[in-house]
């Protein structure tokens, strides 16, 4: 069928298989063209189908020739309904990796569950022996516990309400938004979903099954950002979860069993999860403009390729004082942030075009779902029922 984008709120309910494939291919081509450090060889990526997790998987495979095992939570096509973008991304990645002689396996299901952890452990035992890198890149709205309790994460402030500018991407208008504070219960639930507990569960399960190398590394992703986003992000409910993630990393490293856990603070980018955060999309579209003008803009693949080839390699790790890897170094540079500040203070609906890279924002948003890839004929019929071996 001919697949067109159908946008509902912050997501697109359709995905284009050929577009996703072309975009995965361009990420692979990017990685192949870079120079490569000595890297990890057997890599588990939890949250491997989109955004930073997908880019981590592609980097491991194509920088280091690593065997990759990905955990995804995606839907295949169903009748006239397309599969999720992550499904098509994974199908494409597997097709390219197999053709290039790389080991790849995917497990589709809820990464929070014991069942999926057990399945992954079984595959590692049978196929890989032990993994030497675990990337934890989940961005999930909820977590279901073993007893059926469901925790939902919220994107709210902590303490008091915060008002600042935001953009309505449906009609490209700037207005003020007030984000209300989360209740204590909502904060705790957000920590349950996006904090470090499940990451720790993964590492404990891998250790107990003896399927993780003694000197293995594990990394999870975080964000800090500039002050205008702090009440909403770093100091908000999601920030509390990220604090917990960081404390978990410290506790895992301090456990002194040889496994080192790191937080990589990544750049703000358009992904399915960041699109839903109030205020942040307007900041991102200004950031894109400034970073593109200064020649320092990166997407997920550039970030992850730089991470695993320069800052977190098999032999060296570069961290800041509290021991975080700073992939937001270029975003947070004074030259970038002072330009963003000026544009932020002036921006309104009338000057959006001159003050923000809205085209770049929309382009990246559609690309998340496989739309807007070069060389793809979006008027042609495509087979939407694509297989993933999982
Ligand atoms: P994303 O939405 O693009 O990807 C999230 C991935 O998690 C997807 O592959 C999704 O299928 C998977 N997932 C969600 N729930 C799952 C479940 N229950 N079981 C298995 N897989 C599941 O998100 P992203 O932006 O790449 O975020 C990844 C991490 O990077 C998050 O921790 C996020 O906070 C962090 N981060 C994002 C940004 C940004 O601007 N996007 C910046 C810095 C850090």
């Amino acid at each position: 069928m001919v697949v067109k984008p159908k946008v509902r709120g912050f997501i697109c309910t359709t995905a284009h298989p050929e577009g996703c494939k072309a975009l995965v291919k361009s990420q692979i081509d990017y990685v192949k063209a870079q120079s490569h450090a000595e890297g990890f060889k057997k890599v588990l990526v939890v949250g491997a189908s989109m955004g930073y997790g997908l880019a981590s998987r592609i980097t491991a495979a194509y920088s280091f020739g690593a065997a990759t095992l990905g955990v995804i939570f995606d839907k295949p096509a169903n009748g006239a309904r397309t599969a999720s973008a992550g499904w098509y991304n994974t199908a494409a990645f597997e097709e390219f990796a197999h053709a290039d002689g790389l080991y790849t396996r995917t497990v589709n299901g809820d990464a929070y569950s014991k069942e999926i952890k057990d399945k992954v452990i079984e595959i590692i035992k049978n196929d890989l022996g032990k993994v030497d890198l675990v990337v934890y890149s989940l961005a999930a709205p909820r977590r279901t516990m073993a007893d059926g309790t469901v925790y939902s994460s919220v994107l709210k402030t902590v303490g008091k309400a915060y008002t600042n500018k935001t953009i309505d991407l449906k009609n490209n208008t700037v207005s003020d938004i007030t984000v209300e504070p989360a209740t204590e219960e909502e904060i705790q639930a957000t920590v349950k979903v996006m904090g470090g507990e499940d990451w720790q569960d993964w590492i404990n399960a891998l250790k107990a099954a003896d399927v993780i190398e003694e000197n293995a590394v594990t990394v999870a992703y975080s964000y800090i950002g500039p002050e205008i986003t702090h009440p909403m992000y770093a100091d908000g409910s999601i920030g509390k979860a990220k604090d917990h993630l960081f404390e978990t990393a410290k506790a895992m490293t301090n456990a002194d069993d040889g496994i080192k856990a790191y937080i990589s603070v990544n750049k703000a980018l358009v992904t399915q999860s960041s699109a839903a955060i109030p205020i942040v999309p307007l900041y991102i579209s200004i950031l894109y403009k400034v970073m593109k003008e200064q020649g320092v803009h990166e997407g997920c693949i550039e970030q992850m390729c730089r991470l695993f080839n320069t800052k977190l390699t098999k032999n060296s790790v570069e961290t800041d004082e509290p021991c975080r890897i700073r992939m937001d170094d270029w975003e947070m540079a004074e030259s970038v942030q002072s330009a963003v500040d000026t544009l932020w203070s002036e921006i309104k609906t009338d000057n959006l075009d001159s003050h923000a890279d809205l085209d770049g924002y929309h382009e990246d948003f559609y690309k998340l779902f496989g739309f807007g890839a070069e060389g793809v004929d979006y008027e042609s019929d495509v087979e939407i029922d694509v297989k993933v071996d999982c």
Side-chain angles (χ1 to χ4, degrees):
M1 63 187 234
V2 175
V3 182
K4 297 283 174 191
K6 277 192 198 140
V7 178
R8 302 259 181 284
F10 308 115
I11 61 153
C12 178
T13 58
T14 53
H16 199 283
E18 290 303 320
C20 289
K21 186 173 175 180
L23 292 162
V24 166
K25 169 90 169 48
S26 71
Q27 292 197 48
I28 291 174
D29 289 345
Y30 173 82
V31 176
K32 280 181 173 170
Q34 309 307 306
S35 54
H36 305 139
E38 193 190 335
F40 302 92
K41 293 290 181 205
K42 295 174 185 178
V43 178
L44 169 63
V45 182
V46 182
S49 68
M50 298 282 286
Y52 278 119
L54 174 65
S56 305
R57 186 179 201 181
I58 292 174
T59 298
Y62 284 92
S63 275
F64 315 129
T68 62
L69 174 52
V71 180
I72 68 169
F73 200 26
D74 282 282
K75 287 197 176 79
N78 184 0
R81 272 239 296 276
T82 69
S84 56
W87 182 270
Y88 291 139
N89 289 338
T90 304
F93 173 78
E94 291 207 332
E95 189 183 328
F96 291 121
H98 282 141
D100 291 326
L102 294 165
Y103 173 96
T104 164
R105 280 287 296 270
T106 299
V107 173
N108 187 30
D110 185 357
Y112 291 114
S113 70
K114 181 173 181 311
E115 181 203 341
I116 292 300
K117 291 182 177 79
D118 288 346
K119 218 167 163 177
V120 164
I121 286 167
E122 197 57 32
I123 293 173
I124 300 173
K125 267 189 189 156
N126 290 337
D127 293 3
L128 301 173
K130 294 183 184 196
V131 290
D132 60 356
L133 172 67
V134 179
V135 176
Y136 188 81
S137 187
L138 283 194
R142 69 190 68 80
R143 171 178 176 191
T144 305
M145 309 299 287
D147 66 0
T149 310
V150 177
Y151 292 100
S152 295
S153 64
V154 296
L155 294 159
K156 293 187 178 179
T157 60
V158 168
K160 55 180 196 295
Y162 177 58
T163 302
N164 210 324
K165 296 173 195 182
T166 198
I167 185 167
D168 182 340
L169 290 156
K170 281 196 292 294
N171 49 20
N172 291 345
T173 51
V174 177
S175 58
D176 274 357
I177 185 171
T178 298
V179 184
E180 296 298 331
T183 63
E184 192 48 42
E185 205 182 339
E186 286 175 322
I187 296 167
Q188 291 315 318
T190 307
V191 172
K192 273 276 180 201
V193 181
M194 290 296 286
E197 191 177 73
D198 181 61
W199 183 24
Q200 176 87 67
D201 286 352
W202 268 100
I203 300 303
N204 287 348
L206 297 169
K207 274 197 308 200
D210 198 23
V211 292
I212 182 163
E213 297 280 0
E214 258 174 33
N215 59 350
V217 166
T218 182
V219 63
Y221 300 136
S222 188
Y223 183 65
I224 298 176
E227 268 178 31
I228 42 169
T229 65
H230 281 185
M232 191 52 248
Y233 199 101
D235 298 337
S237 51
I238 182 71
K240 296 292 167 214
K242 294 299 185 186
D243 290 348
H244 188 269
L245 200 69
F246 184 42
E247 291 306 316
T248 307
K250 286 197 272 188
M252 284 200 262
T253 296
N254 289 340
D256 223 19
D257 53 10
I259 296 171
K260 297 270 180 284
Y262 297 98
I263 294 297
S264 172
V265 181
N266 296 344
K267 179 193 178 190
L269 281 173
V270 182
T271 64
Q272 267 196 96
S273 29
S274 68
I277 310 175
I279 299 168
V280 168
L282 182 60
Y283 165 71
I284 289 180
S285 47
I286 297 175
L287 182 72
Y288 272 30
K289 178 186 169 63
V290 172
M291 292 188 82
K292 284 178 185 176
E293 279 174 4
Q294 296 188 10
V296 289
H297 178 70
E298 296 175 302
C300 288
I301 197 63
E302 289 85 355
Q303 279 265 297
M304 294 300 94
C305 202
R306 189 158 68 89
L307 170 64
F308 291 110
N309 282 289
T310 67
K311 298 214 185 213
L312 176 57
T313 72
K314 191 94 183 162
N315 303 318
S316 65
V317 187
E318 187 188 311
T319 61
D320 67 3
E321 186 47 58
C323 203
R324 300 164 303 198
I325 301 167
R326 300 303 297 263
M327 293 310 303
D328 63 343
D329 46 359
W330 298 354
E331 169 181 354
M332 298 311 291
E334 167 59 25
S335 56
V336 170
Q337 286 302 321
S338 60
V340 169
D341 270 356
T342 306
L343 292 170
W344 183 272
S345 65
E346 294 171 0
I347 203 162
K348 50 188 184 207
T349 304
D350 296 348
N351 61 19
L352 262 175
D353 283 343
S354 59
H355 283 56
D357 179 21
L358 274 193
D359 288 348
Y361 189 98
H362 284 291
E363 198 179 292
D364 274 12
F365 178 80
Y366 281 100
K367 280 185 172 168
L368 294 175
F369 307 94
F371 297 103
E374 250 176 64
V376 174
D377 179 358
Y378 288 97
E379 300 307 321
S380 284
D381 272 342
V382 279
E383 176 56 74
I384 60 164
D385 190 12
V386 176
K387 297 275 170 280
V388 175
D389 184 18
C390 57

